Amino acid sequence: MQIVEIDRLSYAYSGNLVLDNISFTIEEGDILGIIGPNGAGKTTLFSCMLGLLDDYTGTIKILGENIEKKNNKVFKSIGYIPQKKTIEQNFPATVEEIVSLGVTTTGKTSKEKIALALETAGLFAQKDRRVGELSGGQQQRVLIAKAMVNNPKLLILDEPVTGIDLEMQNKFYSLLQKLNQENNITIIWASHDLDAVNRFATSVACINRSMFFHGKTIEFFENPDLLKAYSESSMQAHMHLHNHTYRG
Amino acid sequence: MILEVLEFGFMQRALIAGVSVAITSSVIGLFLVLRRNSLFGDALSHAAFGGIAVGLATNIYPLWTGLALSILGALGITKLRQYAKIPADATVAILLSSGLALGILLISLSGGFTLDLFSFLFGSIMLVSVEDTLAILAMTGIILSIIILLYRQLMYITFDEEQARVSGLPISKLNYLFIILASVAVIVSMRLVGILLVSSLLVIPNVTALLFNKGFKKTALISVSISIFSVVAGIAISYAANLAPAGTIVLVSTAVFLTVLAARHYSKKKQVVKKLEEARS
């Protein structure tokens, strides 16, 4: 079953083409690693998929439903972990309270769901701690637990481990793998870490405004020509970004 | 003596209205403070000042005109923020100064300050009528019921608006509803401490409660307790010492804030010393 179908998606911002004719599909149970240099359009792609941007052309179907219909049922089956940003240290909420934000129902079942999500993310012992006191890696796990509480079918993660130490990164990836294998959750995950994508993703989409490659992980990482072309395009994008920064 | 004072009708009404206002303002204020919108209450009250002046000039019940202008102004600046991308603090300044300017203009046209207007500016808790008390109780009931019903959604928007939007929450509708609730809370609070001091009731108990480093529900409960204590102690002190109730209530809450701040500082220092001693031994 196809969880995501994207057909000829294009998006322009301030006269710049950010996404150009992107098409791909994701099968149920896949872990798709999305790689691409800074400014490649990864976050824009997610914003379109999540309904945060709607002035694009092309179609995006999630769970068979065109997201333009703004069907809340579809959005409720998506868990989203944004690009790592520190949770306000003084925000007065416990881990359990933040996880409970993901619940859309009330009553006993919601309490059980919260407890299960905390357990899955390995946070049950921390449930009464204030979320601002936790490390960056633990905070990301809180957001995962919040996303898990509604039994999502699809998890979208935008560079979730930036700024997190290696040990916590590995724990985080193991958690993702567990969620994928035990709960059959399809995962789309943007990353700069090619090694992690190679280890954990089942397929890879490489974008740099347009689709550069989409296929099985092994096909990408065992093809030196593709890796070389990717490195060169990343370097070019890096230089382009710097030139713009210096001019700006 | 305390029991004798409580037998006075005006004191009973002052305490009932005061406690209601204390609860409402601290609950609404927690969301405002966490959204870094502490001065929004000030802007709402100044817009209400313009509305009250309209009411006094046109012989319409001033609280209704105040409420109407405060809601219209708040919705207007919210739209302005969204469409013209003007920073939040600048829109607050626009609403605050425009409301005040309208009030001043109408007052000057109607021949200066009246006793009524004076009581709206500085509060008149000891003068609340039975009708006022019932209106305050009703508005408090409505505000609290809605907040309890939508508590999780409002907390989600306060925590992270983008994630709340992605999860399918109707962000715009909830934000507009919250603005209306905040306007009603400001109008209710004005009776107690006046236009000029409304934002202190919204902000000080919550900033104090945040110093305790607790979760959301506990912070809200601490804030409500501090607010009730400040109002009741403020009314009692002002009655006993013949002081202005509004100023006394606000200064009591400021004193609580400073006490908690000092206690926190002392306890932190103590912990540092203890840790050092443990490390040395």
Side-chain angles (χ1 to χ4, degrees), chain A residues 50 52 72 75 80 82 85 88 92-93 97-98 100-101 103 105 130 146, chain B residues 34 36 152 156 159-160 163 165-166 168 210 213-217 219:
Chain A
L50 294 163
L52 294 171
N72 252 350
F75 288 111
Y80 169 55
K85 50 183 172 184
E88 175 80 49
E97 282 176 326
I98 294 296
S100 76
L101 294 178
V103 180
T105 53
R130 251 169 21 96
K146 177 168 73 64
Chain B
L34 292 175
R36 300 185 181 283
R152 198 175 274 164
Y156 204 165
F159 174 65
D160 190 324
Q163 284 195 50
R165 192 184 300 276
V166 169
L210 287 172
N213 287 335
K214 300 288 180 192
F216 203 86
K217 278 182 192 162
T219 303

PDB file of all heavy atoms in Angstrom, chain A residues 50 52 72 75 80 82 85 88 92-93 97-98 100-101 103 105 130 146, chain B residues 34 36 152 156 159-160 163 165-166 168 210 213-217 219:
ATOM      1  N   LEU A  50       2.605  18.681   4.945  1.00  0.00           N
ATOM      2  CA  LEU A  50       1.886  18.849   6.217  1.00  0.00           C
ATOM      3  C   LEU A  50       0.775  19.898   6.130  1.00  0.00           C
ATOM      4  O   LEU A  50       0.123  20.207   7.120  1.00  0.00           O
ATOM      5  CB  LEU A  50       2.883  19.269   7.316  1.00  0.00           C
ATOM      6  CG  LEU A  50       3.922  18.212   7.680  1.00  0.00           C
ATOM      7  CD1 LEU A  50       5.084  18.832   8.433  1.00  0.00           C
ATOM      8  CD2 LEU A  50       3.284  17.112   8.511  1.00  0.00           C
ATOM      9  N   LEU A  52       1.201  23.037   5.638  1.00  0.00           N
ATOM     10  CA  LEU A  52       1.617  24.358   6.136  1.00  0.00           C
ATOM     11  C   LEU A  52       1.788  25.332   4.973  1.00  0.00           C
ATOM     12  O   LEU A  52       1.706  26.542   5.146  1.00  0.00           O
ATOM     13  CB  LEU A  52       2.935  24.250   6.915  1.00  0.00           C
ATOM     14  CG  LEU A  52       2.867  23.447   8.214  1.00  0.00           C
ATOM     15  CD1 LEU A  52       4.255  23.211   8.780  1.00  0.00           C
ATOM     16  CD2 LEU A  52       1.999  24.153   9.246  1.00  0.00           C
ATOM     17  N   ASN A  72      -8.935  16.270   8.256  1.00  0.00           N
ATOM     18  CA  ASN A  72      -8.258  16.212   9.556  1.00  0.00           C
ATOM     19  C   ASN A  72      -7.832  14.802   9.931  1.00  0.00           C
ATOM     20  O   ASN A  72      -6.837  14.615  10.619  1.00  0.00           O
ATOM     21  CB  ASN A  72      -9.186  16.765  10.641  1.00  0.00           C
ATOM     22  CG  ASN A  72      -8.703  18.119  11.110  1.00  0.00           C
ATOM     23  OD1 ASN A  72      -7.602  18.547  10.768  1.00  0.00           O
ATOM     24  ND2 ASN A  72      -9.505  18.796  11.894  1.00  0.00           N
ATOM     25  N   PHE A  75      -4.385  14.223   8.595  1.00  0.00           N
ATOM     26  CA  PHE A  75      -3.335  14.932   9.345  1.00  0.00           C
ATOM     27  C   PHE A  75      -3.124  14.326  10.731  1.00  0.00           C
ATOM     28  O   PHE A  75      -2.019  14.332  11.254  1.00  0.00           O
ATOM     29  CB  PHE A  75      -3.656  16.427   9.447  1.00  0.00           C
ATOM     30  CG  PHE A  75      -3.470  17.137   8.139  1.00  0.00           C
ATOM     31  CD1 PHE A  75      -4.543  17.634   7.436  1.00  0.00           C
ATOM     32  CD2 PHE A  75      -2.206  17.275   7.585  1.00  0.00           C
ATOM     33  CE1 PHE A  75      -4.371  18.272   6.212  1.00  0.00           C
ATOM     34  CE2 PHE A  75      -2.016  17.904   6.360  1.00  0.00           C
ATOM     35  CZ  PHE A  75      -3.102  18.406   5.671  1.00  0.00           C
ATOM     36  N   TYR A  80       4.726  14.508  13.399  1.00  0.00           N
ATOM     37  CA  TYR A  80       5.740  15.397  12.808  1.00  0.00           C
ATOM     38  C   TYR A  80       6.748  15.844  13.870  1.00  0.00           C
ATOM     39  O   TYR A  80       6.353  16.342  14.931  1.00  0.00           O
ATOM     40  CB  TYR A  80       5.029  16.602  12.180  1.00  0.00           C
ATOM     41  CG  TYR A  80       5.943  17.746  11.768  1.00  0.00           C
ATOM     42  CD1 TYR A  80       7.016  17.531  10.911  1.00  0.00           C
ATOM     43  CD2 TYR A  80       5.709  19.038  12.234  1.00  0.00           C
ATOM     44  CE1 TYR A  80       7.842  18.574  10.539  1.00  0.00           C
ATOM     45  CE2 TYR A  80       6.525  20.091  11.859  1.00  0.00           C
ATOM     46  CZ  TYR A  80       7.590  19.856  11.007  1.00  0.00           C
ATOM     47  OH  TYR A  80       8.413  20.889  10.644  1.00  0.00           O
ATOM     48  N   PRO A  82       9.712  18.458  14.090  1.00  0.00           N
ATOM     49  CA  PRO A  82      10.363  19.521  13.322  1.00  0.00           C
ATOM     50  C   PRO A  82      11.874  19.520  13.516  1.00  0.00           C
ATOM     51  O   PRO A  82      12.399  18.808  14.373  1.00  0.00           O
ATOM     52  CB  PRO A  82       9.753  20.794  13.900  1.00  0.00           C
ATOM     53  CG  PRO A  82       9.350  20.418  15.284  1.00  0.00           C
ATOM     54  CD  PRO A  82       9.019  18.958  15.262  1.00  0.00           C
ATOM     55  N   LYS A  85      14.806  22.175  17.600  1.00  0.00           N
ATOM     56  CA  LYS A  85      14.900  23.495  18.211  1.00  0.00           C
ATOM     57  C   LYS A  85      14.744  23.302  19.714  1.00  0.00           C
ATOM     58  O   LYS A  85      13.970  22.466  20.163  1.00  0.00           O
ATOM     59  CB  LYS A  85      13.848  24.445  17.659  1.00  0.00           C
ATOM     60  CG  LYS A  85      12.436  23.918  17.644  1.00  0.00           C
ATOM     61  CD  LYS A  85      11.531  24.933  17.000  1.00  0.00           C
ATOM     62  CE  LYS A  85      10.142  24.360  16.782  1.00  0.00           C
ATOM     63  NZ  LYS A  85       9.249  25.239  16.092  1.00  0.00           N
ATOM     64  N   GLU A  88      11.875  25.842  25.087  1.00  0.00           N
ATOM     65  CA  GLU A  88      12.052  26.924  26.064  1.00  0.00           C
ATOM     66  C   GLU A  88      12.293  26.326  27.457  1.00  0.00           C
ATOM     67  O   GLU A  88      11.460  25.568  27.970  1.00  0.00           O
ATOM     68  CB  GLU A  88      10.771  27.756  26.069  1.00  0.00           C
ATOM     69  CG  GLU A  88      10.698  28.850  27.090  1.00  0.00           C
ATOM     70  CD  GLU A  88      11.448  30.094  26.664  1.00  0.00           C
ATOM     71  OE1 GLU A  88      11.234  30.545  25.527  1.00  0.00           O
ATOM     72  OE2 GLU A  88      12.230  30.578  27.489  1.00  0.00           O
ATOM     73  N   PRO A  92       6.589  25.822  31.490  1.00  0.00           N
ATOM     74  CA  PRO A  92       6.162  25.032  32.649  1.00  0.00           C
ATOM     75  C   PRO A  92       5.341  23.807  32.249  1.00  0.00           C
ATOM     76  O   PRO A  92       4.128  23.815  32.374  1.00  0.00           O
ATOM     77  CB  PRO A  92       5.301  26.032  33.426  1.00  0.00           C
ATOM     78  CG  PRO A  92       4.713  26.909  32.375  1.00  0.00           C
ATOM     79  CD  PRO A  92       5.701  26.962  31.247  1.00  0.00           C
ATOM     80  N   ALA A  93       6.011  22.776  31.782  1.00  0.00           N
ATOM     81  CA  ALA A  93       5.258  21.567  31.444  1.00  0.00           C
ATOM     82  C   ALA A  93       6.104  20.343  31.740  1.00  0.00           C
ATOM     83  O   ALA A  93       7.307  20.348  31.495  1.00  0.00           O
ATOM     84  CB  ALA A  93       4.862  21.588  29.972  1.00  0.00           C
ATOM     85  N   GLU A  97       2.842  15.995  30.405  1.00  0.00           N
ATOM     86  CA  GLU A  97       1.928  17.022  29.887  1.00  0.00           C
ATOM     87  C   GLU A  97       2.193  17.294  28.401  1.00  0.00           C
ATOM     88  O   GLU A  97       1.260  17.489  27.625  1.00  0.00           O
ATOM     89  CB  GLU A  97       2.057  18.319  30.699  1.00  0.00           C
ATOM     90  CG  GLU A  97       1.333  18.254  32.042  1.00  0.00           C
ATOM     91  CD  GLU A  97       1.537  19.488  32.911  1.00  0.00           C
ATOM     92  OE1 GLU A  97       2.632  20.092  32.864  1.00  0.00           O
ATOM     93  OE2 GLU A  97       0.621  19.837  33.663  1.00  0.00           O
ATOM     94  N   ILE A  98       3.474  17.325  28.016  1.00  0.00           N
ATOM     95  CA  ILE A  98       3.788  17.563  26.597  1.00  0.00           C
ATOM     96  C   ILE A  98       3.316  16.389  25.738  1.00  0.00           C
ATOM     97  O   ILE A  98       2.717  16.579  24.686  1.00  0.00           O
ATOM     98  CB  ILE A  98       5.313  17.798  26.395  1.00  0.00           C
ATOM     99  CG1 ILE A  98       5.749  19.098  27.081  1.00  0.00           C
ATOM    100  CG2 ILE A  98       5.678  17.835  24.911  1.00  0.00           C
ATOM    101  CD1 ILE A  98       5.139  20.369  26.522  1.00  0.00           C
ATOM    102  N   SER A 100       0.913  14.422  26.365  1.00  0.00           N
ATOM    103  CA  SER A 100      -0.559  14.420  26.328  1.00  0.00           C
ATOM    104  C   SER A 100      -1.116  15.388  25.282  1.00  0.00           C
ATOM    105  O   SER A 100      -2.270  15.276  24.878  1.00  0.00           O
ATOM    106  CB  SER A 100      -1.129  14.752  27.706  1.00  0.00           C
ATOM    107  OG  SER A 100      -1.012  16.138  27.954  1.00  0.00           O
ATOM    108  N   LEU A 101      -0.290  16.345  24.834  1.00  0.00           N
ATOM    109  CA  LEU A 101      -0.769  17.295  23.819  1.00  0.00           C
ATOM    110  C   LEU A 101      -1.118  16.588  22.510  1.00  0.00           C
ATOM    111  O   LEU A 101      -1.935  17.063  21.730  1.00  0.00           O
ATOM    112  CB  LEU A 101       0.303  18.360  23.529  1.00  0.00           C
ATOM    113  CG  LEU A 101       0.641  19.312  24.677  1.00  0.00           C
ATOM    114  CD1 LEU A 101       1.739  20.261  24.261  1.00  0.00           C
ATOM    115  CD2 LEU A 101      -0.583  20.099  25.099  1.00  0.00           C
ATOM    116  N   VAL A 103      -2.709  13.863  22.225  1.00  0.00           N
ATOM    117  CA  VAL A 103      -3.946  13.083  22.334  1.00  0.00           C
ATOM    118  C   VAL A 103      -5.134  13.871  21.787  1.00  0.00           C
ATOM    119  O   VAL A 103      -5.290  15.044  22.087  1.00  0.00           O
ATOM    120  CB  VAL A 103      -4.225  12.724  23.812  1.00  0.00           C
ATOM    121  CG1 VAL A 103      -5.506  11.909  23.926  1.00  0.00           C
ATOM    122  CG2 VAL A 103      -3.065  11.968  24.383  1.00  0.00           C
ATOM    123  N   THR A 105      -8.267  12.286  21.895  1.00  0.00           N
ATOM    124  CA  THR A 105      -9.457  11.786  22.609  1.00  0.00           C
ATOM    125  C   THR A 105      -9.287  12.047  24.099  1.00  0.00           C
ATOM    126  O   THR A 105      -8.219  12.447  24.542  1.00  0.00           O
ATOM    127  CB  THR A 105      -9.607  10.264  22.408  1.00  0.00           C
ATOM    128  OG1 THR A 105      -8.366   9.668  22.776  1.00  0.00           O
ATOM    129  CG2 THR A 105      -9.950   9.927  20.987  1.00  0.00           C
ATOM    130  N   ARG A 130      10.311  18.303  34.406  1.00  0.00           N
ATOM    131  CA  ARG A 130       9.983  19.408  33.495  1.00  0.00           C
ATOM    132  C   ARG A 130      10.763  19.237  32.204  1.00  0.00           C
ATOM    133  O   ARG A 130      11.956  18.935  32.219  1.00  0.00           O
ATOM    134  CB  ARG A 130      10.332  20.749  34.149  1.00  0.00           C
ATOM    135  CG  ARG A 130       9.078  21.524  34.543  1.00  0.00           C
ATOM    136  CD  ARG A 130       9.353  22.706  35.395  1.00  0.00           C
ATOM    137  NE  ARG A 130      10.698  23.204  35.311  1.00  0.00           N
ATOM    138  CZ  ARG A 130      11.085  24.200  34.519  1.00  0.00           C
ATOM    139  NH1 ARG A 130      10.214  24.792  33.729  1.00  0.00           N
ATOM    140  NH2 ARG A 130      12.327  24.628  34.528  1.00  0.00           N
ATOM    141  N   LYS A 146       5.126  12.230  21.860  1.00  0.00           N
ATOM    142  CA  LYS A 146       3.921  13.040  21.593  1.00  0.00           C
ATOM    143  C   LYS A 146       3.325  12.661  20.231  1.00  0.00           C
ATOM    144  O   LYS A 146       2.114  12.546  20.082  1.00  0.00           O
ATOM    145  CB  LYS A 146       4.278  14.530  21.616  1.00  0.00           C
ATOM    146  CG  LYS A 146       3.101  15.432  21.273  1.00  0.00           C
ATOM    147  CD  LYS A 146       3.396  16.880  21.574  1.00  0.00           C
ATOM    148  CE  LYS A 146       4.359  17.503  20.588  1.00  0.00           C
ATOM    149  NZ  LYS A 146       3.831  17.565  19.220  1.00  0.00           N
TER     150      LYS A 146
ATOM    151  N   LEU B  34       3.205  33.214  28.744  1.00  0.00           N
ATOM    152  CA  LEU B  34       3.980  32.191  28.036  1.00  0.00           C
ATOM    153  C   LEU B  34       4.088  32.466  26.546  1.00  0.00           C
ATOM    154  O   LEU B  34       5.027  32.037  25.892  1.00  0.00           O
ATOM    155  CB  LEU B  34       3.375  30.799  28.271  1.00  0.00           C
ATOM    156  CG  LEU B  34       3.520  30.296  29.698  1.00  0.00           C
ATOM    157  CD1 LEU B  34       2.789  28.981  29.880  1.00  0.00           C
ATOM    158  CD2 LEU B  34       4.983  30.125  30.072  1.00  0.00           C
ATOM    159  N   ARG B  36       4.664  35.296  25.445  1.00  0.00           N
ATOM    160  CA  ARG B  36       5.435  36.552  25.434  1.00  0.00           C
ATOM    161  C   ARG B  36       4.550  37.720  24.997  1.00  0.00           C
ATOM    162  O   ARG B  36       4.914  38.536  24.164  1.00  0.00           O
ATOM    163  CB  ARG B  36       6.658  36.438  24.513  1.00  0.00           C
ATOM    164  CG  ARG B  36       7.588  35.334  24.941  1.00  0.00           C
ATOM    165  CD  ARG B  36       8.838  35.298  24.103  1.00  0.00           C
ATOM    166  NE  ARG B  36       9.704  34.218  24.517  1.00  0.00           N
ATOM    167  CZ  ARG B  36      10.476  34.233  25.588  1.00  0.00           C
ATOM    168  NH1 ARG B  36      10.497  35.289  26.352  1.00  0.00           N
ATOM    169  NH2 ARG B  36      11.230  33.198  25.894  1.00  0.00           N
ATOM    170  N   ARG B 152      -6.181  21.772  26.751  1.00  0.00           N
ATOM    171  CA  ARG B 152      -5.094  21.078  26.061  1.00  0.00           C
ATOM    172  C   ARG B 152      -4.744  21.766  24.730  1.00  0.00           C
ATOM    173  O   ARG B 152      -3.582  21.942  24.387  1.00  0.00           O
ATOM    174  CB  ARG B 152      -5.491  19.623  25.836  1.00  0.00           C
ATOM    175  CG  ARG B 152      -4.319  18.740  25.532  1.00  0.00           C
ATOM    176  CD  ARG B 152      -4.731  17.305  25.450  1.00  0.00           C
ATOM    177  NE  ARG B 152      -4.747  16.638  26.732  1.00  0.00           N
ATOM    178  CZ  ARG B 152      -5.361  15.480  26.949  1.00  0.00           C
ATOM    179  NH1 ARG B 152      -6.027  14.893  25.987  1.00  0.00           N
ATOM    180  NH2 ARG B 152      -5.311  14.902  28.133  1.00  0.00           N
ATOM    181  N   TYR B 156      -1.297  23.559  23.741  1.00  0.00           N
ATOM    182  CA  TYR B 156      -0.547  23.098  22.562  1.00  0.00           C
ATOM    183  C   TYR B 156      -0.120  24.304  21.716  1.00  0.00           C
ATOM    184  O   TYR B 156       1.036  24.415  21.292  1.00  0.00           O
ATOM    185  CB  TYR B 156      -1.420  22.151  21.739  1.00  0.00           C
ATOM    186  CG  TYR B 156      -0.643  21.176  20.862  1.00  0.00           C
ATOM    187  CD1 TYR B 156      -1.269  20.072  20.300  1.00  0.00           C
ATOM    188  CD2 TYR B 156       0.714  21.346  20.621  1.00  0.00           C
ATOM    189  CE1 TYR B 156      -0.572  19.168  19.514  1.00  0.00           C
ATOM    190  CE2 TYR B 156       1.413  20.448  19.832  1.00  0.00           C
ATOM    191  CZ  TYR B 156       0.761  19.360  19.277  1.00  0.00           C
ATOM    192  OH  TYR B 156       1.450  18.463  18.502  1.00  0.00           O
ATOM    193  N   PHE B 159       2.604  26.116  23.427  1.00  0.00           N
ATOM    194  CA  PHE B 159       3.868  25.378  23.400  1.00  0.00           C
ATOM    195  C   PHE B 159       4.525  25.470  22.017  1.00  0.00           C
ATOM    196  O   PHE B 159       5.708  25.794  21.906  1.00  0.00           O
ATOM    197  CB  PHE B 159       3.603  23.910  23.768  1.00  0.00           C
ATOM    198  CG  PHE B 159       4.812  23.030  23.636  1.00  0.00           C
ATOM    199  CD1 PHE B 159       5.918  23.224  24.452  1.00  0.00           C
ATOM    200  CD2 PHE B 159       4.865  22.006  22.696  1.00  0.00           C
ATOM    201  CE1 PHE B 159       7.039  22.418  24.337  1.00  0.00           C
ATOM    202  CE2 PHE B 159       5.971  21.196  22.571  1.00  0.00           C
ATOM    203  CZ  PHE B 159       7.065  21.407  23.396  1.00  0.00           C
ATOM    204  N   ASP B 160       3.782  25.198  20.979  1.00  0.00           N
ATOM    205  CA  ASP B 160       4.345  25.246  19.625  1.00  0.00           C
ATOM    206  C   ASP B 160       3.211  25.370  18.609  1.00  0.00           C
ATOM    207  O   ASP B 160       2.524  24.385  18.303  1.00  0.00           O
ATOM    208  CB  ASP B 160       5.165  23.980  19.348  1.00  0.00           C
ATOM    209  CG  ASP B 160       5.968  24.086  18.059  1.00  0.00           C
ATOM    210  OD1 ASP B 160       5.473  24.694  17.099  1.00  0.00           O
ATOM    211  OD2 ASP B 160       7.093  23.562  18.025  1.00  0.00           O
ATOM    212  N   GLN B 163       3.413  23.060  15.345  1.00  0.00           N
ATOM    213  CA  GLN B 163       3.066  21.655  15.561  1.00  0.00           C
ATOM    214  C   GLN B 163       1.579  21.486  15.835  1.00  0.00           C
ATOM    215  O   GLN B 163       0.964  20.501  15.422  1.00  0.00           O
ATOM    216  CB  GLN B 163       3.880  21.098  16.727  1.00  0.00           C
ATOM    217  CG  GLN B 163       5.302  20.811  16.334  1.00  0.00           C
ATOM    218  CD  GLN B 163       5.986  19.938  17.373  1.00  0.00           C
ATOM    219  OE1 GLN B 163       5.475  18.913  17.775  1.00  0.00           O
ATOM    220  NE2 GLN B 163       7.140  20.371  17.807  1.00  0.00           N
ATOM    221  N   ARG B 165      -0.734  23.321  14.596  1.00  0.00           N
ATOM    222  CA  ARG B 165      -1.401  23.472  13.290  1.00  0.00           C
ATOM    223  C   ARG B 165      -1.327  22.158  12.501  1.00  0.00           C
ATOM    224  O   ARG B 165      -2.313  21.706  11.944  1.00  0.00           O
ATOM    225  CB  ARG B 165      -0.701  24.591  12.490  1.00  0.00           C
ATOM    226  CG  ARG B 165      -1.464  25.043  11.255  1.00  0.00           C
ATOM    227  CD  ARG B 165      -0.653  26.067  10.490  1.00  0.00           C
ATOM    228  NE  ARG B 165      -0.342  27.247  11.271  1.00  0.00           N
ATOM    229  CZ  ARG B 165      -1.159  28.283  11.424  1.00  0.00           C
ATOM    230  NH1 ARG B 165      -2.314  28.281  10.817  1.00  0.00           N
ATOM    231  NH2 ARG B 165      -0.807  29.309  12.153  1.00  0.00           N
ATOM    232  N   VAL B 166      -0.116  21.544  12.517  1.00  0.00           N
ATOM    233  CA  VAL B 166       0.070  20.284  11.798  1.00  0.00           C
ATOM    234  C   VAL B 166      -0.853  19.193  12.349  1.00  0.00           C
ATOM    235  O   VAL B 166      -1.378  18.367  11.607  1.00  0.00           O
ATOM    236  CB  VAL B 166       1.549  19.835  11.879  1.00  0.00           C
ATOM    237  CG1 VAL B 166       1.724  18.420  11.377  1.00  0.00           C
ATOM    238  CG2 VAL B 166       2.433  20.793  11.095  1.00  0.00           C
ATOM    239  N   GLY B 168      -3.718  19.407  13.213  1.00  0.00           N
ATOM    240  CA  GLY B 168      -5.102  19.583  12.759  1.00  0.00           C
ATOM    241  C   GLY B 168      -5.936  20.519  13.627  1.00  0.00           C
ATOM    242  O   GLY B 168      -7.153  20.606  13.452  1.00  0.00           O
ATOM    243  N   LEU B 210       5.845  30.888  37.882  1.00  0.00           N
ATOM    244  CA  LEU B 210       6.861  30.271  37.022  1.00  0.00           C
ATOM    245  C   LEU B 210       8.173  30.044  37.771  1.00  0.00           C
ATOM    246  O   LEU B 210       8.948  29.151  37.417  1.00  0.00           O
ATOM    247  CB  LEU B 210       7.119  31.135  35.780  1.00  0.00           C
ATOM    248  CG  LEU B 210       6.008  31.119  34.718  1.00  0.00           C
ATOM    249  CD1 LEU B 210       6.282  32.153  33.639  1.00  0.00           C
ATOM    250  CD2 LEU B 210       5.887  29.740  34.092  1.00  0.00           C
ATOM    251  N   ASN B 213       9.125  26.492  39.030  1.00  0.00           N
ATOM    252  CA  ASN B 213       9.589  25.431  38.112  1.00  0.00           C
ATOM    253  C   ASN B 213       8.735  24.168  38.169  1.00  0.00           C
ATOM    254  O   ASN B 213       9.246  23.060  38.352  1.00  0.00           O
ATOM    255  CB  ASN B 213      11.050  25.047  38.412  1.00  0.00           C
ATOM    256  CG  ASN B 213      11.998  26.121  37.951  1.00  0.00           C
ATOM    257  OD1 ASN B 213      11.682  26.883  37.040  1.00  0.00           O
ATOM    258  ND2 ASN B 213      13.154  26.192  38.574  1.00  0.00           N
ATOM    259  N   LYS B 214       7.454  24.311  38.036  1.00  0.00           N
ATOM    260  CA  LYS B 214       6.551  23.151  38.061  1.00  0.00           C
ATOM    261  C   LYS B 214       5.957  22.931  36.680  1.00  0.00           C
ATOM    262  O   LYS B 214       6.213  23.690  35.749  1.00  0.00           O
ATOM    263  CB  LYS B 214       5.420  23.390  39.073  1.00  0.00           C
ATOM    264  CG  LYS B 214       5.882  23.602  40.497  1.00  0.00           C
ATOM    265  CD  LYS B 214       6.371  22.317  41.110  1.00  0.00           C
ATOM    266  CE  LYS B 214       6.838  22.529  42.536  1.00  0.00           C
ATOM    267  NZ  LYS B 214       7.571  21.367  43.061  1.00  0.00           N
ATOM    268  N   GLY B 215       5.099  21.908  36.588  1.00  0.00           N
ATOM    269  CA  GLY B 215       4.399  21.632  35.332  1.00  0.00           C
ATOM    270  C   GLY B 215       3.292  22.654  35.096  1.00  0.00           C
ATOM    271  O   GLY B 215       3.098  23.578  35.898  1.00  0.00           O
ATOM    272  N   PHE B 216       2.551  22.462  34.002  1.00  0.00           N
ATOM    273  CA  PHE B 216       1.561  23.462  33.580  1.00  0.00           C
ATOM    274  C   PHE B 216       0.409  23.589  34.578  1.00  0.00           C
ATOM    275  O   PHE B 216       0.073  24.690  35.025  1.00  0.00           O
ATOM    276  CB  PHE B 216       1.014  23.081  32.201  1.00  0.00           C
ATOM    277  CG  PHE B 216       0.455  24.243  31.448  1.00  0.00           C
ATOM    278  CD1 PHE B 216       1.269  25.045  30.679  1.00  0.00           C
ATOM    279  CD2 PHE B 216      -0.890  24.550  31.528  1.00  0.00           C
ATOM    280  CE1 PHE B 216       0.753  26.131  29.986  1.00  0.00           C
ATOM    281  CE2 PHE B 216      -1.418  25.631  30.846  1.00  0.00           C
ATOM    282  CZ  PHE B 216      -0.589  26.422  30.068  1.00  0.00           C
ATOM    283  N   LYS B 217      -0.181  22.454  34.946  1.00  0.00           N
ATOM    284  CA  LYS B 217      -1.344  22.500  35.851  1.00  0.00           C
ATOM    285  C   LYS B 217      -0.945  23.063  37.210  1.00  0.00           C
ATOM    286  O   LYS B 217      -1.646  23.894  37.779  1.00  0.00           O
ATOM    287  CB  LYS B 217      -1.917  21.095  36.043  1.00  0.00           C
ATOM    288  CG  LYS B 217      -2.832  20.676  34.915  1.00  0.00           C
ATOM    289  CD  LYS B 217      -3.403  19.315  35.192  1.00  0.00           C
ATOM    290  CE  LYS B 217      -4.069  18.778  33.930  1.00  0.00           C
ATOM    291  NZ  LYS B 217      -4.285  17.348  33.963  1.00  0.00           N
ATOM    292  N   THR B 219       1.601  25.016  37.891  1.00  0.00           N
ATOM    293  CA  THR B 219       1.914  26.441  37.753  1.00  0.00           C
ATOM    294  C   THR B 219       0.616  27.258  37.763  1.00  0.00           C
ATOM    295  O   THR B 219       0.531  28.298  38.426  1.00  0.00           O
ATOM    296  CB  THR B 219       2.698  26.700  36.445  1.00  0.00           C
ATOM    297  OG1 THR B 219       3.865  25.892  36.467  1.00  0.00           O
ATOM    298  CG2 THR B 219       3.098  28.154  36.298  1.00  0.00           C
TER     299      THR B 219
END
